[in-house]
Amino acid sequence: LVQQVLIESVLLAGAACILGLAFALAAAPAIVNLLSPSTNPAYLDLRTDWRVMGFVALLCALTTVLFGIAPALRASTVSPNHALKEGGQKHSSGMGVFRPLVSAQVGFSFVVLFLAGLLLLTFQKLTHLDPGFVKTGLIHFSIQAADLKQDQYARGVALQLAERVRQISGVEAASLSGWPLFEGSAWTSTIRMPGREPDSFEPYSFLVSPGFFETMGMRLLEGRDLEPRDFEPRAPTAVVVNEAFARRYFPGERALGKSFSRSDRNGLIPQEIVGIVRDAKYNSLREGPAPTVYVLSGGNQYGTLQVRTALDAGALAGTLREEIRRVHPTLRITGVTLQSTLIDNTLLRERLLALLSGFFAVVALVLAAVGLYGVLNYSVVRRTKEIGIRVALGARQLAVVRLVISEISILMALGLAVGAAAGFWLAQFLAALLFEVQPSDFWSLALPLACLLAAAALAAAPPALRAARVDPMVALRYE
């Protein structure tokens, strides 16, 4: 008897391992593609060798031993005398040994759903977070000019390039900057305010050309944009700052028109604020808006051309190459990147966690539903004679359904209570990964609870309907 049950367990475990291995081989390449940004792809060895097969075989053996021995020993201890008794009380009882297993399964499933929900909500909030500019329809072209130096001629080339690009059909706006936002580059400068003690904090300095804010979709709150006339040598030079800069250095005052000094390679340069722009994220969606000074670019050997268009990036690149050669023969495009791609690359960890946790949440939900269905269906089969007697004595279908699900409801409530306590305890270890999500939030609790209750309702429906349709005459002859 033990051997027979163990063989059945081996067949089930082996089939499950083979299906799992087949799914892993098919899904692994897609998972690896999500592990790294498009600019720096990861390569993993996904070949199935003897080590992989040995691991699967070991997993199959452990599953058989852990979950097959107990039922096998239980089957070998069945009393023949009791088994031959028709309608024995023990056989017509409810779930018996399955009670703690049902509660444990529900509790474990809730924990997985709860933690997965926190990570999924975090990813959802980050992907829908407003970065302070319009990320769609924005393409970055990396431009290189080996023989151009930072001088008046280079500024003229930069302005001419932006103007020629704006005239291309389908281009809405174009500008130049030192580097794209969310690329990971940063340049900070020391700030000196007149009549104040030096501040050790260094805000970002961002090189831009006229038209940058229009191209990026940043809203100008006060003052004006940077203009070509601001290239003319004068002191102080015109700059635009963001709201975070104004709040830090001019709290309770109007920053427009104020002057300060900013450190550069040539020393301290006097600056005048001619405009204030809305706050925008710089390199991370998780970080708050950093104080930023937008400075006119003097023309460099390397830079980034931003183009706002509805055209395809590949099709536009060919046209741009022709226009760039007409502006200056040494200008060339070294890279093309979408702004949305740059932002998505910063969410690699969050996307991977959301994907994996969502997958395991679905698995936990399916296992909970299958387990509840199996236990309820087994209970209904074992209690068919009892249900038939109740129906024969006048019990209504609703009462029969209530009889079937009442016991499982208590076990589910107990499992949910334990799962919620375990989920809140484990959530503290995910605190560093969450963003604007708290375990006690309404949706953090409502989503896993609703999913689990919906799965339980679907799993309980067939056994409950089967119990409600029991024919008393057939049930009395069931055993």
Side-chain angles (χ1 to χ4, degrees):
L1 291 176
V2 172
Q3 185 181 33
Q4 177 183 343
V5 177
L6 284 178
I7 289 175
E8 293 176 356
S9 299
V10 169
L11 292 175
L12 289 173
C17 287
I18 291 173
L19 290 175
L21 180 62
F23 175 80
L25 293 176
I31 297 297
V32 172
N33 290 335
L34 296 173
L35 285 173
S36 57
S38 57
T39 55
N40 186 24
Y43 298 95
L44 298 180
D45 187 0
L46 301 178
R47 291 175 298 178
T48 304
D49 55 13
W50 65 269
R51 292 170 296 181
V52 176
M53 298 306 298
F55 173 77
V56 173
L58 179 62
L59 189 64
C60 179
L62 288 176
T63 304
T64 303
V65 172
L66 292 177
F67 301 101
I69 288 293
L73 295 177
R74 186 167 179 261
S76 66
T77 59
V78 173
S79 171
N81 185 41
H82 183 79
L84 293 176
K85 288 183 179 179
E86 183 178 5
Q89 287 292 335
K90 185 175 181 180
H91 290 275
S92 62
S93 61
M95 288 173 286
V97 72
F98 296 111
R99 295 171 188 267
L101 295 179
V102 170
S103 295
Q105 188 177 41
V106 170
F108 176 78
S109 299
F110 182 84
V111 170
V112 176
L113 288 168
F114 179 69
L115 298 180
L118 295 177
L119 296 173
L120 288 169
L121 287 173
T122 292
F123 182 67
Q124 186 268 340
K125 285 185 176 293
L126 286 171
T127 53
H128 290 82
L129 186 68
D130 182 11
F133 55 87
V134 182
K135 64 180 181 180
T136 56
L138 189 60
I139 309 173
H140 294 287
F141 296 89
S142 298
I143 307 295
Q144 181 180 356
D147 61 343
L148 282 181
K149 298 181 179 179
Q150 187 169 338
D151 55 12
Q152 194 70 21
Y153 177 70
R155 297 190 192 104
V157 171
L159 292 175
Q160 184 183 359
L161 174 61
E163 185 60 32
R164 291 291 293 267
V165 173
R166 293 189 192 104
Q167 296 175 3
I168 297 176
S169 177
V171 173
E172 302 173 10
S175 63
L176 292 154
S177 65
W179 50 84
L181 292 175
F182 285 83
E183 186 194 44
S185 302
W187 171 34
T188 60
S189 301
T190 303
I191 298 295
R192 295 289 183 268
M193 293 292 172
R196 301 185 192 177
E197 293 293 328
D199 189 357
S200 60
F201 178 80
E202 295 184 352
Y204 289 129
S205 293
F206 196 48
L207 297 174
V208 299
S209 74
F212 174 80
F213 304 115
E214 177 189 1
T215 305
M216 295 296 296
M218 295 181 179
R219 186 159 55 93
L220 197 64
L221 303 177
E222 291 186 75
R224 64 174 177 86
D225 194 354
L226 296 172
E227 300 174 355
R229 61 187 173 93
D230 294 322
F231 280 118
E232 299 298 327
R234 65 185 181 89
T237 57
V239 295
V240 174
V241 300
N242 65 350
E243 295 175 280
F245 184 95
R247 285 193 301 268
R248 180 176 179 84
Y249 292 100
F250 305 101
E253 304 178 41
R254 190 183 183 193
L256 189 65
K258 299 285 185 174
S259 298
F260 62 92
S261 297
R262 182 181 59 84
S263 66
D264 199 349
R265 61 174 63 94
N266 299 320
L268 287 176
I269 302 175
Q271 315 266 247
E272 179 186 359
I273 300 175
V274 299
I276 299 176
V277 72
R278 180 191 175 197
D279 283 336
K281 304 288 186 179
Y282 198 88
N283 276 327
S284 174
L285 291 173
R286 287 180 173 270
E287 298 176 358
T292 306
V293 182
Y294 296 93
V295 186
L296 270 176
S297 174
N300 298 302
Q301 294 180 348
Y302 303 93
T304 299
L305 172 67
Q306 292 94 22
V307 180
R308 180 163 296 283
T309 177
L311 300 176
D312 178 73
L316 184 60
T319 306
L320 276 179
R321 287 188 174 91
E322 295 296 327
E323 294 295 332
I324 285 175
R325 291 193 190 98
R326 293 174 185 174
V327 174
H328 197 277
T330 62
L331 291 176
R332 63 190 183 95
I333 297 176
T334 59
V336 182
T337 312
L338 299 177
Q339 180 65 69
S340 57
T341 301
L342 291 174
I343 296 178
D344 290 343
N345 289 343
T346 64
L347 299 176
L348 175 63
R349 180 184 65 178
E350 288 79 4
R351 183 182 300 106
L352 181 61
L353 288 174
L355 174 69
L356 294 179
S357 62
F359 168 75
F360 286 116
V362 172
V363 172
L365 199 62
V366 171
L367 290 177
V370 171
L372 289 173
Y373 168 79
V375 169
L376 275 178
N377 193 63
Y378 178 75
S379 177
V380 169
V381 171
R382 297 289 293 272
R383 305 175 70 178
T384 300
K385 183 176 181 179
E386 174 194 346
I387 293 172
I389 294 174
R390 291 178 180 270
V391 173
L393 295 177
R396 297 184 178 181
Q397 290 184 337
L398 184 60
V400 173
V401 172
R402 190 184 301 114
L403 173 69
V404 172
I405 65 175
S406 60
E407 192 172 8
I408 200 73
S409 300
I410 298 174
L411 297 176
M412 277 199 63
L414 180 59
L416 289 174
V418 175
F424 273 96
W425 179 74
L426 292 173
Q428 62 182 331
F429 300 103
L430 297 180
L433 301 175
L434 303 182
F435 178 78
E436 295 184 357
V437 175
Q438 296 296 327
S440 57
D441 291 344
F442 172 77
W443 289 111
S444 300
L445 291 168
L447 286 177
L449 184 61
C451 291
L452 197 54
L453 291 179
L458 291 175
L465 291 176
R466 178 177 180 176
R469 294 172 180 174
V470 167
D471 186 346
M473 298 302 297
V474 175
L476 293 176
R477 299 194 303 268
Y478 189 74
E479 297 184 5

